[in-house]
Amino acid sequence: MRIAPALNPAFVDEVRRQVNASPFVSHLPMRLVDFSAGGARIELDVARCHLQPFGLVHGGVLATLIDTATFWAAFAHAPDGAGMVNVDLMLTYLESVAEGLLVAEGRLVRAGRTLSYAEASVHSGDGRLLVRGSSTLFTLPGKGFRLDVPKFLPDG
């Protein structure tokens, strides 16, 4: 994997602002706390709406956290204006949870022109590993959003 230069902090702030105001992220609600050229952190405070009938966080909520963390971990390596979609999403549920803060951290493993691969984990607020997962992402040129902020700072 090629190492990208550090992202422009103004770009990171603008992406975070737009993502956190988007309909699905607001609905769940979760938040993109940070992302870089190869990593991402997503947080969600468990609410009643996240629970399945047995009082545990629904597996779909945890899968969404893995999906979101892997996506944003890979995003900085996509060409400007490109979007990405999952080709696959694989999960291993390790422990259930019913309340508290959930933290998903994604890490880009391989960035490619067409396919990228990332891994993520979800931990409870007290550090217990709840879910591990991975995703292969397909790059869609012209299907992303364009920002008026440069992704990278000029070399110098």
Side-chain angles (χ1 to χ4, degrees), residues 29-99:
M30 61 181 162
R31 58 202 168 272
L32 175 61
V33 175
D34 196 21
F35 82 100
S36 63
R41 180 182 173 106
I42 312 297
E43 293 182 356
L44 179 142
D45 295 305
V46 174
R48 187 173 183 277
C49 65
H50 301 128
L51 305 180
Q52 41 91 311
F54 304 117
L56 302 172
V57 172
H58 191 282
V61 172
L62 297 167
T64 298
L65 289 170
I66 295 287
D67 173 55
T68 305
T70 56
F71 178 92
W72 290 108
F75 177 75
H77 288 272
D80 287 345
M84 301 176 99
V85 294
N86 286 73
V87 173
D88 64 17
L89 182 65
M90 293 185 254
L91 307 169
T92 302
Y93 297 97
L94 301 168
E95 188 174 336
S96 61
V97 65
E99 61 187 9

Side-chain angles (χ1 to χ4, degrees), residues 127-151:
R128 290 177 292 126
L129 178 61
L130 306 172
V131 182
R132 291 275 308 157
S134 64
S135 176
T136 304
L137 298 130
F138 182 72
T139 301
L140 299 169
K143 300 293 185 185
F145 53 62
R146 292 201 181 272
L147 301 173
D148 292 330
V149 179
K151 188 183 290 187

